[in-house]
Amino acid sequence: MSAFSRFTPLASTLPSTVPFVGPEAIERQRGLAVLARIGANENGFGPAPSVFAAMREEAGNIWKYNDPENFALRQALGAHLGVAAANIAIGSGIDELLGQIVRLVIEPGAPVVTSLGAYPTFNFHVAGFGGRLVSVPYANDREDLDGLLDAVKREKAPLVYFANPDNPMGSWWDAERIVAFARALPETTLLVLDEAYSETGPAGSLPSIASLIELPNVVRTRTFSKAYGLAGARIGYVISTPGTAQAFDKIRNHFGMNRLATAAALAALKDQTYLAEVVGKIHAARERIGGIARANGLEPLPSATNFVAIDAGRDGVYARAIVDGLMERGVFIRMPGVAPLNRCIRVSVGPEADMALLEDALPQVLKQIG
């Protein structure tokens, strides 16, 4: 298969891959219908009715570009968080923002510290800009803060990635420990503190905004994809100092935000009553998933996210057999991609119908694979 002959040397060395195999691809490749979509860490309970109403109202204006300054959303987020709009940068999901962060900081060959097995899209961007990944193994099924700090200092790394709560294990550190980690980093190291699951964690797991807001080497990334139920709308944001947040204006796509998505985010942010209700549903679904796991001799790990990692008790081959067996029955789940984390399967929360399908299919699969 021929390709253009003058791609950059870096681009020519990169594989043409998608970091995640989506349920749509599985349906196409394997001829299977996804009946329970509980593998992509989406919020199957969906957004608030007020969000749908706001999108319908705005639909007639879709011929207009979105405000390139994202003024209204930055103002609303600032008011919600107790900071100035200048502390906020907007992007089409955390994934895009991660790419912009890497582009701002990393030159070819520069070391970037992350956890082995952590969110793969970050690694994708590091490779795409020529960075050198330095991975630290998990310790006791959660990210190793001491190991990350040691690696940063040893490598003199300009960038470190840490997610709290964590994907793919659902684990978390308490706020005090995270603040201490951030303050222990060299001023020349930028911390990406990925807080995609900030709304679903336990009390005490989320540092206050004030505790880190004055540090220019900390960017906190958050999203409307998880608790707010807007994964398909692609709305993410960064919280940092005004100077660091403004740096995104140097490289971002100023017309990259979707006008309907922005209306959805504004409406979702206003409807905190619905958010509280759906977070309660997420907590209940986590308990349901844990109960299904235990009833089948598997061990659910504590989770602060909208999914539950379940220890299948053997190795990655066995866990993969469970994932594939469930997919044969229409139940889409995933598993971590790196040993020893890949002894686990990972189940996202979903409505009762999805939980019922999992409850019915899992014992059949375990019996079949033995």
Side-chain angles (χ1 to χ4, degrees):
M1 184 170 61
S2 61
F4 179 63
S5 61
R6 293 191 63 180
F7 290 134
T8 66
L10 173 59
S12 296
T13 66
L14 297 173
S16 298
T17 59
V18 178
F20 297 101
V21 178
E24 296 87 355
I26 294 173
E27 287 182 321
R28 288 191 296 269
Q29 294 165 5
R30 299 177 60 181
L32 298 170
V34 171
L35 305 177
R37 185 173 169 132
I38 49 176
N41 299 357
E42 298 155 329
N43 174 3
F45 302 110
S50 58
V51 170
F52 291 117
M55 294 178 76
R56 285 192 294 269
E57 184 176 344
E58 187 61 28
N61 290 319
I62 199 63
W63 61 273
K64 303 176 184 177
Y65 287 114
N66 194 67
D67 174 12
E69 297 181 12
N70 298 299
F71 180 83
L73 185 53
R74 290 169 58 240
Q75 289 282 337
L77 282 166
H80 178 68
L81 297 167
V83 298
N87 292 101
I88 307 293
I90 305 294
S92 56
I94 288 179
D95 289 1
E96 179 185 66
L97 292 166
L98 291 176
Q100 292 171 357
I101 291 166
V102 176
R103 182 181 174 190
L104 282 167
V105 176
I106 296 304
E107 296 177 320
V112 179
V113 173
T114 186
S115 297
L116 182 64
Y119 191 48
T121 299
F122 177 72
N123 302 351
F124 178 83
H125 289 305
V126 172
F129 286 103
R132 175 172 60 86
L133 279 169
V134 179
S135 300
V136 177
Y138 279 57
N140 299 317
D141 292 332
R142 64 176 177 174
E143 296 196 66
D144 181 357
L145 286 177
D146 290 335
L148 290 170
L149 182 60
D150 288 346
V152 165
K153 293 180 176 179
R154 181 183 69 249
E155 300 284 340
K156 297 181 174 58
L159 185 62
V160 57
Y161 174 88
F162 166 62
N164 191 71
D166 170 66
N167 177 10
M169 302 307 285
S171 55
W172 69 96
W173 287 90
D174 63 68
E176 182 178 343
R177 185 70 176 83
I178 296 165
V179 172
F181 171 72
R183 293 187 176 278
L185 290 169
E187 293 180 358
T188 53
T189 299
L190 183 71
L191 167 63
V192 181
L193 179 55
D194 189 339
E195 297 177 325
Y197 304 94
S198 58
E199 293 88 1
T200 58
S205 65
L206 193 68
S208 68
I209 295 297
S211 66
L212 296 172
I213 194 62
E214 86 282 6
L215 297 179
N217 67 323
V218 175
V219 291
R220 304 171 74 165
T221 58
R222 296 189 181 179
T223 183
F224 285 83
S225 294
K226 306 303 181 184
Y228 286 103
L230 287 167
R234 311 310 302 134
I235 317 127
Y237 58 100
V238 159
I239 311 162
S240 191
T241 60
T244 298
Q246 189 178 27
F248 287 82
D249 284 341
K250 299 178 180 182
I251 60 167
R252 69 182 176 90
N253 178 0
H254 293 257
F255 286 113
M257 292 302 297
N258 181 299
R259 191 175 185 94
L260 295 189
T262 300
L266 287 166
L269 199 60
K270 287 180 181 179
D271 203 336
Q272 292 296 306
T273 298
Y274 180 84
L275 177 66
E277 292 174 359
V278 85
V279 168
K281 291 179 180 179
I282 289 170
H283 290 175
R286 287 197 315 228
E287 292 298 316
R288 178 78 187 278
I289 293 167
I292 293 170
R294 293 187 191 95
N296 288 278
L298 308 180
E299 184 59 35
L301 303 184
S303 175
T305 64
N306 69 345
F307 62 86
V308 178
I310 299 171
D311 191 339
R314 300 191 197 177
D315 58 12
V317 174
Y318 182 67
R320 171 55 61 189
I322 296 175
V323 171
D324 290 343
L326 286 173
M327 188 61 236
E328 290 290 336
R329 291 163 174 80
V331 179
F332 166 67
I333 67 167
R334 282 189 174 137
M335 58 184 282
V338 175
L341 308 182
N342 67 352
R343 73 185 193 283
C344 296
I345 59 175
R346 196 191 68 199
V347 181
S348 304
V349 301
E352 171 57 29
D354 289 357
M355 297 295 96
L357 284 170
L358 174 68
E359 187 172 39
D360 179 64
L362 183 57
Q364 299 177 44
V365 170
L366 294 177
K367 182 178 179 181
Q368 178 182 339
I369 64 179

